[in-house]
Structures are given as C-alpha cells and as structure tokens.
C-alpha cells in the first residue's frame, strides 16, 4: 500500500472530529484519572530500586510488568471492539499498510520466513502476516510465533486462530517477556514485528537489544506505534480529545475507564519519532530511510531497522 493514502489522506477520509485517536493495543491500570493539563503525580520513592513511568505515575521497575499484565487480563476479550469503536476502523488500515509494507512471505528461490510478533496477543498482526504470505507470495510455509507477556491475551489469540481455521503448524503462541525473549535463539528470526506494544515495555532499550539478538543478519525489525501529532494546532485538538473522550468511551464500551486513561498517558510519554528511531539505531540496527513513516499526521508511525550482515 502506498504511503500517500495513509500518511495524510486517511485523515481527510474521516472527518477531523472522528480521527483523534485509536486504541489498538494495550491498556493498563491508573488509579486516578489525570487531566490533560494536570502535572504527573510524583509518587514517594523511599527505596533505591530503579523507577520508571506507568502512564503519568512513577512506579518501581519491578512492578510495571505485572501492572501491564494485570490490565491485559482485564481487557483481553473486549479491547478489539473498543479499537473499532474509537478509531472508526482506522487502526485496521494502519495494520494492513504495516503488513503490506513488509511484504512477508518466501521470495522466489528463497526459504520460508520465520516471523516473531512480539506483544502479539490476540493474533491481529500474525493473521495478516499469514494471509499476505499465502495470498500475495503463494507461501504456505512461512510461520509466525506470537509472543506476549500475558497468558489471557495469548488464549484469546489461540481461540481466534482455531475459529478462523489457521494451520497450527504455521502459527503458535508463547508467553515471553519482550525484554529478554529467553526461549528465542540468537540469529533465528527473519522478521520481528511489534504493534502498539513497545511503549508498555519497562525497559525499551533492552527490548530493542533482544530484537537485535534474535534477528538473523539482514533481518528486519518493524514497529507500529502511536507517535507525536503535527502540526501543533492539530495536536492540541488531538490531546484534548484523547484525555477528554477516550477514558469516557473506555468506561462506556469496555467498563474500564482507568485502563484507557493509562492509554493516553502512555502515548504522551512515548518518545518522538526521531527519538525512537535513534533508540533503534543505538540497539545496533540500521534505520530504513529516515527511520520512520508517519501515518495520519503522526497519530501513529512505523519504524523499521535492519540487522547488519556483518
């Protein structure tokens, strides 16, 4: 899919009042809603243990993963519906474009691909990968491993794989921490994808280093994630919508305001497009082009990096 229809014209296809946000992957716990103009709460950190952010909260590093896992368990069966309601289906277009831009599948004379979809949960990206490899590249052997830290999300994905008739020899689900990927061998993966999940990782640089480790030389890292909106007047509207409307819709549709409050806070805290591209480079991967492609005025972006051959 060409960049033009998604980078700028998806926004014009849906009216500006419709496309202010999307909720594709993950929500997590936040005990007290924080307004757009509120200062992030400063928690009392009496111990010397390293801390990190959890939305606008400051928490011990050792607690963040469990908080994210806890929330995924609570939203596993409902967050996809929320995605559609909140984005008017636009997140599907982003994901379709993401997969088409990667063109997964065996090339003529080549071998089937080994794909790792991290934070793959319900299989949303994995199913698209398999469909594309078969329909576009006539490849019925490429495999996808969905890795997620949360067992409930993985169960949802397994259930959907069975319901939709996907070959169990081509798709599998495994509990993994993105920071370590302990069961994934070095230099074993052709394509590593992570969609709307990396901002929930406690130590993002560690996750990027693990991505570099498991990729084969010449393998591709690809991330689809929320990013920074431009120009500034549009971003102001987007922020107001995000903090005012998204938590309310979370309450109405999913019965979970706190999780979606965390969603908008985590987006606000995520690095800018250029900053994250630099982090990918620092992990040892080579940026593709300028490192990222903006979608819909930067509401989301795609980052790509390649593991050097030497």
């Amino acid at each position: 899919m060409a960049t033009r229809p998604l980078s700028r014209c998806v926004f014009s296809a849906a009216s500006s009042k419709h496309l202010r946000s999307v909720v594709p992957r993950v929500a997590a716990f936040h005990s007290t809603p924080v307004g757009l103009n509120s200062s992030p709460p400063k928690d009392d950190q009496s111990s010397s243990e390293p801390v990190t952010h959890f939305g606008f909260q400051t928490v011990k590093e050792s607690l963040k993963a469990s908080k994210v896992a806890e929330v995924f368990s609570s939203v596993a069966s409902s967050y996809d519906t929320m995605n559609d309601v909140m984005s008017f289906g636009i997140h599907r277009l982003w994901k379709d474009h993401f997969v088409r831009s990667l063109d997964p599948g065996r090339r003529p004379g080549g071998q089937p691909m080994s794909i790792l979809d991290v934070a793959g949960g319900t299989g949303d990206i994995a199913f698209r990968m398999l469909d594309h490899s078969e329909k576009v590249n006539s490849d019925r052997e490429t495999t996808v491993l969905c890795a997620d830290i949360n067992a409930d999300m993985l169960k949802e994905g397994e259930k959907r794989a069975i319901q939709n008739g996907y070959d169990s020899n081509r798709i599998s689900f495994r509990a993994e921490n993105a920071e370590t990927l302990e069961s994934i061998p070095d230099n074993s993966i052709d394509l590593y994808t992570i969609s709307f999940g990396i901002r929930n990782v406690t130590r993002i640089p560690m996750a990027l280093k693990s991505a570099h480790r498991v990729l084969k030389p010449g393998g591709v890292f690809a991330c689809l994630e929320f990013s920074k909106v431009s120009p500034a007047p549009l971003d102001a509207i987007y922020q107001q919508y995000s903090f005012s409307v998204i938590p309310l819709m979370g309450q109405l549709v999913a019965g979970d305001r706190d999780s979606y409050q965390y969603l908008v806070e985590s987006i606000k805290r995520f690095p800018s497009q250029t900053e994250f591209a630099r982090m990918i480079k620092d992990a040892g991967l080579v940026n593709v082009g300028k490192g990222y492609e903006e979608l819909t005025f930067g509401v989301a972006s795609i980052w790509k990096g390649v593991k050097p051959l030497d």
Side-chain angles (χ1 to χ4, degrees):
M1 186 175 188
T3 300
R4 180 186 59 80
L6 280 171
S7 330
R8 296 292 174 183
C9 49
V10 163
F11 188 86
S12 60
S15 67
S16 59
K17 70 177 180 178
H18 286 171
L19 185 55
R20 303 300 179 205
S21 170
V22 60
V23 184
R25 175 76 176 96
V26 156
F29 178 82
H30 181 72
S31 58
T32 305
V34 178
L36 175 60
N37 297 316
S38 301
S39 299
K42 297 181 179 179
D43 297 355
D44 178 27
Q45 301 297 327
S46 56
S47 76
S48 60
E49 182 179 341
V51 297
T52 187
H53 61 82
F54 184 72
F56 285 167
Q57 295 185 67
T58 300
V59 299
K60 295 178 180 179
E61 282 190 351
S62 61
L63 297 179
K64 181 170 179 176
S66 63
K67 284 179 172 288
V68 173
E70 177 184 338
V71 173
F72 281 163
S73 294
S74 72
V75 302
S77 62
S78 63
Y79 84 88
D80 278 348
T81 299
M82 187 68 182
N83 294 345
D84 285 328
V85 170
M86 301 211 31
S87 71
F88 301 94
I90 298 300
H91 75 99
R92 297 178 183 271
L93 298 180
W94 290 344
K95 292 172 182 175
D96 288 344
H97 174 61
F98 180 58
V99 170
R100 277 194 288 266
S101 74
L102 296 168
D103 191 23
R106 178 170 53 188
R107 304 301 187 265
Q111 298 295 316
M113 296 181 71
S114 176
I115 301 172
L116 174 64
D117 184 34
V118 178
T122 56
D124 211 12
I125 295 296
F127 300 150
R128 284 173 166 83
M129 291 287 182
L130 293 178
D131 291 344
H132 183 100
S133 65
E134 181 172 347
K135 295 175 182 177
V136 177
N137 291 313
S138 301
D139 175 5
R140 295 175 177 83
E141 297 180 74
T142 281
T143 60
V144 182
L145 170 60
C146 294
D148 200 295
I149 199 170
N150 184 269
D152 291 306
M153 298 293 288
L154 292 168
K155 288 177 184 177
E156 188 70 21
E158 289 178 314
K159 180 178 71 175
R160 294 180 185 187
I162 293 171
Q163 290 174 340
N164 290 285
Y166 285 97
D167 185 348
S168 60
N169 293 316
R170 297 190 62 203
I171 185 168
S172 56
F173 298 82
R174 186 183 302 172
E176 284 284 353
N177 186 323
E179 294 180 12
T180 56
L181 298 176
E182 291 181 351
S183 73
I184 312 297
D186 296 358
N187 306 309
S188 63
I189 301 298
D190 294 294
L191 174 61
Y192 173 119
T193 59
I194 182 165
S195 175
F196 300 108
I198 200 161
R199 73 180 185 281
N200 301 290
V201 174
T202 302
R203 293 171 287 265
I204 293 176
M206 285 186 62
L208 294 174
K209 284 289 187 182
S210 288
H212 179 277
R213 176 183 65 79
V214 303
L215 280 170
K216 297 176 182 177
V220 175
F221 167 88
C223 175
L224 172 62
E225 185 55 89
F226 289 111
S227 53
K228 306 302 183 186
V229 174
S230 62
L234 183 59
D235 181 55
I237 297 172
Y238 172 71
Q239 296 297 332
Q240 187 63 49
Y241 176 87
S242 295
F243 281 86
S244 300
V245 177
I246 289 179
L248 177 60
M249 293 187 72
Q251 178 64 45
L252 295 175
V253 177
D256 191 349
R257 181 186 182 96
D258 291 338
S259 292
Y260 290 91
Q261 180 71 36
Y262 163 77
L263 169 70
V264 296
E265 293 175 4
S266 67
I267 295 169
K268 185 74 171 176
R269 295 293 299 265
F270 192 67
S272 70
Q273 286 86 314
T274 54
E275 289 170 339
F276 188 52
R278 189 177 306 115
M279 293 172 70
I280 292 169
K281 183 178 179 180
D282 290 343
L285 299 165
V286 177
N287 292 142
V288 176
K290 68 178 181 179
Y292 60 90
E293 172 193 356
E294 293 182 335
L295 308 178
T296 318
F297 296 93
V299 174
S301 291
I302 294 170
W303 291 262
K304 294 177 184 175
V306 178
K307 183 172 179 175
L309 293 174
D310 51 4

